Amino acid sequence: MAPNQKVIDAHRAMREMGISDGTTKEYLKKLLKVYDNNWAPIEEGNFTALANYIFESEELKEQGAERVNGVDIPRDDCEAAPFEGEVSSFSGQPPLKRPKLEKHLGDISSDATSTPSPRSYLEVERTEHSQNHSKNKQNQSVSAPRTYTCQDCEDLYRRCRESVSVSREQKPESRRYSPTYLTNEKPTAVFDSMDELPINDSPQFQVPISVIHPGDSSPVRIEGILFFLFEYFYRVPCNNSGEKFEDDGISDQQARSAASLEHASIQESHSSGLEIASSEIGKVKISLQFNYTHVRPDFRVPDLNAVFKMVEDKCFNSYKIDNPDFSIQKVMQDLCQSYLDAATEINKDRGTTLVNGTPSVDLLKKSSVQPNANHVFKLTILESSLKNSLNGRAQIPPHISTNDLDFPSHNIQPKGKLLTTTKIEKDEDIVNSSQPSSSKGWVVLNQNECTLDGANPLSLVVPNQNECILDGTNTFHKVVDISKGQERFKITVVNEVCTENFPPSFHYIPRNLVYQNAYIHFPLARIGDEACCSSCDGDCLALSVPCACAAETGGEFGYTVEGLVKKEFLDECMSLYRDPKKHSFFYCKDCPLERSKDENLPDKCKGHLMRKFIKECWSKCGCHIQCGNRVVQRGISRELQVFFTREGKGWGIRALHKLPRGAFVCEYVGEILTNSELYERNVQNTDNKRHTYPVLLDADWGSEGVLKDEEALCLDATYYGNVARFINHRCFDANMIDIPVEIETPDHHYYHIAFFTSREVAAMEELTWDYGIDFLDHDHPIKAFQCLCGSKGCRDLKPSTNR
Ligand SMILES: C[S@@+](CC[C@H](N)C(=O)[O-])C[C@H]1O[C@@H](n2cnc3c(N)ncnc32)[C@H](O)[C@@H]1O
């Protein structure tokens, strides 16, 4: 049988990184098992997931054994490995009771309190996370280990990665080719504004297991961009001489048209380098230089715009940047400006100190560029500036902040790409494009011409990212990006009200993560042809007859071409909320919620409101990621801000710009827990003084028969969550509504909760949601907060001291 083309491609990509065919074969087999033979996540980003898997598995081997959460496991398949953290099923006190149905204006005197509520959103008083952690630990230590089977490979791989990420905290990261597909670990961004802040209650509990998100793509990495820049700078003239380009996403046509553009003379370039960007006042410059004595005779300096265009195309492909304003030139300018900012006035103004306190001038003297030596490119990058230019999706390479890291450097060879591993020393290279002395030509990003105070300013300096800005009165605080670069737009945090600088610590995650036992497994084989549109192409919304993915919404797509929820659909969803009696509730025969309260003697199901789902296209569909039926999976597309409310509700969120009705704001993201796990968590934390943030995923429990515990799920954003955890409650006329969205799986026990505006929302107006709390339910084990929503139809009729 002829070898599969994908297998060939995988081997080729790995070879380029110096990985032998034997090694590739070994790990590719394992990874295919992990992904149920789904090639899409493996192929993504030129087989990034495979490269990471190999590097990290090899790293583990070097440590002597593969370990899962600290426990040695057999190297081959990690089978039969017990691991810490498995907890036997919990039984004990009853868990949280669901709030009863909300009342609405005009219906306040109805008997709605006796009807069930669609959602649960509860407050509990808690103290530090650390208590939680220690209790969890105690609990785990007495639990029975579980035996692994092959079916657990995916989870196992993720757990293996967890142990890797733990060990990374103790030693520098190494040989990490690019960000992983499986993102269960703590984000590796260097500039971690929240982490830099003086918060001492950082959550310490077990890191949850990641869920692969359909919209995953490699985060933008600056060194990746620079590599592309080298590549195309050199390759344009190569093609001119008739050599064939390797296929890496840039078409021959593109390359040829770039190659045919006007070339400058090589001599000119050598004498001054080719300047590609500079800071505003021109003090910091980036130029491409090459040693013409070694370069091929056909080498001509290409037109820079053509090179930029090629790199941008490459970035669009590799990083799925969908910002039309993305520009390499802008990135490079920001790089220069950030270098200058970081090194000079800006840090002084902010009173921040550079992490590396060595004056850059001294460092530069040490590493001035030698004519024929390995040339290095060094810079200092401020996260905020770079992220701006990439619309918030940039990730500063982790090696910038660590010592002794290896990462593949890009040697340009006449015949195309060759990736080698270059040792990176602190205060040394960021990008080193030098090549072995036997090589014929090289292209270097060189900061030779940078001058600050007359000295060559080459240095690696990581500025403090605690960008809390304090005015004279100490009442205005601003955190640059609470999402730490994980969302397309940065999400600032401001307090114009008091001196509370920032919300209590939590881990920002842009997508849901499995905590432990939740059964989230999406074999593509489970998605039948009727539940996807494999024959579609491009944008499904442009079809004259809607495809199969519109079936869930009655044969019409839920979204308009502008990306808004359709009026009719939104109206229906809102009426379901406003007047739930008109719509059906379902009553489980064996309600998982009641079961989790008392397994032996569960109460009767109180009922769950059937919800209307939107179904988005996904991996098995043939359409493009930009298809109009993929809104939630593309993530936050509006500029949001976390701000301190004046009414006493704590932090809330708002949009910086006006939002039309039906606009997607954000998804409710948190850890995916089973109901028992949530119950356990709450029982353990009843004496603590912290809020919990659970939301049930019960929108379709009725259609499933009897749900097992691991299928009855909820989201908890207490420790891991996104910006949605700051959305405050409003009893009546909230300006957002939550709609269940099916993306990865037609099984509705796991789905996404997406917030859409229920009316036009003005810029800077607080975004609110009706949690569905029954403030009159005095039997509820957790006391509801005193509502300060201020709406005319506020359901909290308790006498208030604050209102
Ligand atoms: C999901 S959090 C919202 C963010 C929260 N304000 C914060 O500072 O982190 C839910 C908590 O916010 C507070 N909250 C939300 N809506 C409120 C309201 N209408 N009135 C008073 N407090 C509210 C309650 O303490 C509630 O438990």
Side-chain angles (χ1 to χ4, degrees):
M1 200 166 61
N4 180 331
Q5 185 58 42
K6 293 180 196 303
V7 175
I8 295 170
D9 291 345
H11 279 83
R12 193 189 60 186
M14 295 306 104
R15 253 179 254 135
E16 286 175 350
M17 279 178 265
I19 298 168
S20 74
D21 285 358
T23 308
T24 303
K25 192 174 163 193
E26 179 192 342
Y27 287 104
L28 184 58
K29 263 169 76 179
K30 289 183 184 178
L31 204 56
L32 279 165
K33 212 157 136 194
V34 166
Y35 284 114
D36 286 326
N37 288 326
N38 174 15
W39 276 91
I42 300 174
E43 283 176 299
E44 184 83 37
N46 200 21
F47 297 89
T48 297
L50 178 59
N52 280 330
Y53 186 32
I54 294 173
F55 288 142
E56 291 174 0
S57 303
E58 290 293 308
E59 225 172 56
L60 284 167
K61 271 190 193 168
E62 276 165 32
Q63 289 165 12
E66 288 182 355
R67 295 175 73 80
V68 173
N69 284 350
V71 178
D72 288 343
I73 53 175
R75 210 172 262 170
D76 241 351
D77 252 328
C78 304
E79 273 179 5
F83 62 93
E84 190 187 346
E86 286 294 334
V87 185
S88 53
S89 83
F90 184 91
S91 64
Q93 299 165 51
L96 291 173
K97 192 170 158 189
R98 282 168 57 72
K100 291 178 186 164
L101 190 67
E102 70 267 48
K103 286 183 182 181
H104 293 283
L105 194 64
D107 192 25
I108 288 176
S109 62
S110 79
D111 62 352
T113 53
S114 62
T115 52
S117 164
R119 290 158 288 164
S120 170
Y121 205 101
L122 309 163
E123 178 188 38
V124 99
E125 294 298 301
R126 291 184 167 184
T127 52
E128 308 293 310
H129 288 116
S130 51
Q131 284 185 352
N132 179 20
H133 175 54
S134 61
K135 288 187 180 178
N136 268 334
K137 281 273 170 217
Q138 281 165 16
N139 194 333
Q140 287 160 13
S141 65
V142 294
S143 64
R146 196 181 68 155
T147 302
Y148 260 116
T149 66
C150 261
Q151 279 189 316
D152 292 313
C153 277
E154 184 172 347
D155 281 358
L156 183 58
Y157 174 45
R158 289 173 182 158
R159 285 163 205 269
C160 284
R161 290 182 46 74
E162 280 169 32
S163 70
V164 171
S165 73
V166 169
S167 65
R168 269 193 200 118
E169 283 167 19
Q170 289 138 16
K171 73 179 193 60
E173 185 174 354
S174 64
R175 282 193 300 178
R176 196 168 156 76
Y177 168 53
S178 81
T180 57
Y181 217 82
L182 302 168
T183 54
N184 57 323
E185 64 213 61
K186 192 171 182 302
T188 46
V190 172
F191 302 117
D192 190 347
S193 51
M194 289 301 289
D195 286 352
E196 298 269 343
L197 301 173
I199 300 168
N200 58 10
D201 62 345
S202 192
Q204 292 298 315
F205 46 84
Q206 192 179 18
V207 178
I209 305 157
S210 119
V211 169
I212 303 166
H213 189 273
D216 265 350
S217 57
S218 306
V220 174
R221 294 171 65 94
I222 192 67
E223 85 271 27
I225 294 175
L226 295 174
F227 291 152
F228 298 150
L229 207 57
F230 297 148
E231 175 87 357
Y232 297 119
F233 183 75
Y234 189 78
R235 280 175 48 175
V236 168
C238 289
N239 199 48
N240 215 16
S241 71
E243 282 190 25
K244 198 166 166 11
F245 285 110
E246 282 187 29
D247 173 25
D248 60 355
I250 301 294
S251 69
D252 280 7
Q253 180 54 39
Q254 282 170 300
R256 267 190 293 276
S257 62
S260 66
L261 293 164
E262 198 180 327
H263 296 134
S265 93
I266 192 166
Q267 250 72 12
E268 271 170 14
S269 167
H270 182 250
S271 58
S272 61
L274 181 61
E275 185 181 316
I276 58 172
S278 74
S279 62
E280 266 168 34
I281 48 173
K283 285 210 164 184
V284 176
K285 292 177 183 172
I286 295 176
S287 59
L288 286 167
Q289 268 197 352
F290 53 94
N291 182 342
Y292 71 90
T293 56
H294 294 299
V295 93
R296 297 157 36 127
D298 61 333
F299 187 92
R300 297 288 180 275
V301 178
D303 176 87
L304 201 50
N305 288 331
V307 176
F308 283 156
K309 172 77 178 60
M310 294 172 81
V311 178
E312 278 155 16
D313 285 347
K314 180 78 189 176
C315 289
F316 283 127
N317 284 336
S318 293
Y319 302 129
K320 302 222 165 38
I321 295 167
D322 49 13
N323 175 9
D325 300 331
F326 171 76
S327 134
I328 288 297
Q329 195 155 21
K330 180 82 175 55
V331 173
M332 293 299 136
Q333 274 165 7
D334 284 344
L335 224 138
C336 293
Q337 189 60 45
S338 299
Y339 184 95
L340 192 61
D341 290 352
T344 58
E345 293 80 9
I346 288 207
N347 280 290
K348 284 182 206 140
D349 287 347
R350 290 183 184 156
T352 56
T353 51
L354 299 178
V355 171
N356 180 338
T358 316
S360 50
V361 170
D362 290 342
L363 291 168
L364 285 178
K365 279 181 191 154
K366 274 194 246 156
S367 55
S368 57
V369 176
Q370 303 296 313
N372 280 314
N374 289 346
H375 286 207
V376 293
F377 173 76
K378 297 182 172 191
L379 60 139
T380 297
I381 308 160
L382 265 183
E383 178 195 40
S384 52
S385 172
L386 186 60
K387 273 190 206 147
N388 269 344
S389 69
L390 298 177
N391 244 350
R393 292 205 50 184
Q395 182 178 336
I396 307 297
H399 58 265
I400 288 184
S401 67
T402 51
N403 301 341
D404 295 333
L405 301 179
D406 290 343
F407 81 110
S409 180
H410 200 168
N411 290 337
I412 310 298
Q413 298 278 3
K415 290 230 165 164
K417 295 184 291 188
L418 172 68
L419 295 178
T420 61
T421 299
T422 303
K423 185 90 168 165
I424 305 301
E425 304 286 349
K426 191 175 183 189
D427 297 331
E428 293 277 346
D429 311 4
I430 289 179
V431 175
N432 182 342
S433 68
S434 62
Q435 65 177 28
S437 51
S438 60
S439 304
K440 290 238 170 130
W442 46 265
V443 181
V444 175
L445 275 184
N446 187 350
Q447 276 218 316
N448 210 8
E449 296 173 35
C450 301
T451 49
L452 278 174
D453 302 328
N456 185 341
L458 297 178
S459 67
L460 174 56
V461 189
V462 181
N464 188 336
Q465 277 297 290
N466 179 357
E467 291 199 33
C468 266
I469 299 162
L470 306 178
D471 70 5
T473 59
N474 210 21
T475 56
F476 177 75
H477 308 274
K478 186 168 177 178
V479 173
V480 168
D481 183 6
I482 202 166
S483 86
K484 301 170 182 177
Q486 295 177 88
E487 303 287 6
R488 238 191 292 176
F489 292 98
K490 59 184 178 181
I491 301 172
T492 52
V493 179
V494 294
N495 185 351
E496 295 137 324
V497 178
C498 63
T499 54
E500 188 177 329
N501 291 6
F502 27 76
S505 172
F506 71 103
H507 286 293
Y508 194 101
I509 49 169
R511 59 196 67 116
N512 295 325
L513 299 174
V514 174
Y515 165 62
Q516 192 161 291
N517 292 333
Y519 183 75
I520 306 291
H521 190 49
F522 317 127
L524 286 173
R526 267 217 218 153
I527 304 172
D529 287 346
E530 69 292 346
C532 66
C533 60
S534 48
S535 56
C536 282
D537 189 14
D539 181 2
C540 294
L541 261 54
L543 298 169
S544 50
V545 179
C547 65
C549 295
E552 181 73 39
T553 33
E556 292 288 331
F557 287 109
Y559 301 122
T560 66
V561 288
E562 291 81 25
L564 308 176
V565 174
K566 275 191 182 150
K567 182 181 177 308
E568 302 72 33
F569 187 81
L570 194 54
D571 288 345
E572 274 188 64
C573 293
M574 292 186 65
S575 118
L576 191 67
Y577 266 77
R578 290 237 161 109
D579 192 4
K581 278 186 236 158
K582 277 193 193 157
H583 301 273
S584 53
F585 284 93
F586 61 85
Y587 296 85
C588 319
K589 273 198 219 123
D590 179 5
C591 180
L593 196 66
E594 299 304 326
R595 220 169 48 212
S596 66
K597 294 176 196 170
D598 186 347
E599 208 178 351
N600 298 322
L601 210 58
D603 271 357
K604 255 177 85 181
C605 174
K606 308 281 186 306
H608 309 269
L609 182 65
M610 296 278 255
R611 306 287 306 279
K612 291 183 72 63
F613 276 74
I614 289 179
K615 182 206 175 310
E616 295 199 348
C617 294
W618 195 51
S619 289
K620 227 173 170 178
C621 301
C623 54
H624 195 269
I625 180 71
Q626 297 298 345
C627 161
N629 194 36
R630 296 170 182 255
V631 171
V632 173
Q633 62 191 266
R634 290 208 301 266
I636 296 172
S637 60
R638 312 277 174 173
E639 286 191 80
L640 303 176
Q641 184 172 68
V642 175
F643 73 106
F644 203 84
T645 62
R646 293 183 186 275
E647 300 84 7
K649 297 178 291 187
W651 299 90
I653 76 164
R654 62 193 178 193
L656 301 186
H657 306 285
K658 187 166 91 174
L659 303 175
R661 184 176 195 253
F664 170 59
V665 175
C666 61
E667 184 182 335
Y668 192 94
V669 168
E671 288 174 83
I672 309 167
L673 268 65
T674 66
N675 275 285
S676 321
E677 285 168 343
L678 176 66
Y679 169 66
E680 190 181 338
R681 221 176 235 198
N682 285 308
V683 166
Q684 285 176 346
N685 290 290
T686 44
D687 52 342
N688 288 344
K689 289 210 179 336
R690 248 192 104 90
H691 302 301
T692 54
Y693 302 76
V695 182
L696 283 185
L697 295 177
D698 66 344
D700 204 22
W701 281 5
S703 64
E704 288 278 338
V706 176
L707 284 174
K708 296 185 195 121
D709 178 57
E710 65 269 25
E711 294 170 335
L713 307 175
C714 59
L715 298 175
D716 181 9
T718 310
Y719 307 123
Y720 286 77
N722 73 342
V723 64
R725 75 193 291 288
F726 295 107
I727 302 171
N728 284 317
H729 160 82
R730 190 166 172 92
C731 291
F732 181 70
D733 66 14
N735 52 22
M736 290 197 300
I737 181 170
D738 60 304
I739 297 180
V741 177
E742 170 192 326
I743 301 179
E744 302 89 345
T745 167
D747 299 340
H748 285 170
H749 22 88
Y750 175 68
Y751 56 86
H752 298 259
I753 295 177
F755 292 106
F756 296 89
T757 50
S758 52
R759 60 169 169 79
E760 186 178 285
V761 180
M764 307 306 267
E765 180 182 343
E766 180 174 7
L767 290 158
T768 54
W769 168 46
D770 182 350
Y771 296 176
I773 291 179
D774 176 8
F775 291 96
L776 301 176
D777 181 4
H778 303 297
D779 296 334
H780 201 286
I782 295 166
K783 203 167 155 270
F785 53 85
Q786 182 162 58
C787 186
L788 301 169
C789 76
S791 72
K792 282 187 286 178
C794 180
R795 300 192 297 269
D796 185 5
L797 305 174
K798 289 191 297 284
S800 162
T801 44
N802 296 335
R803 281 177 289 173

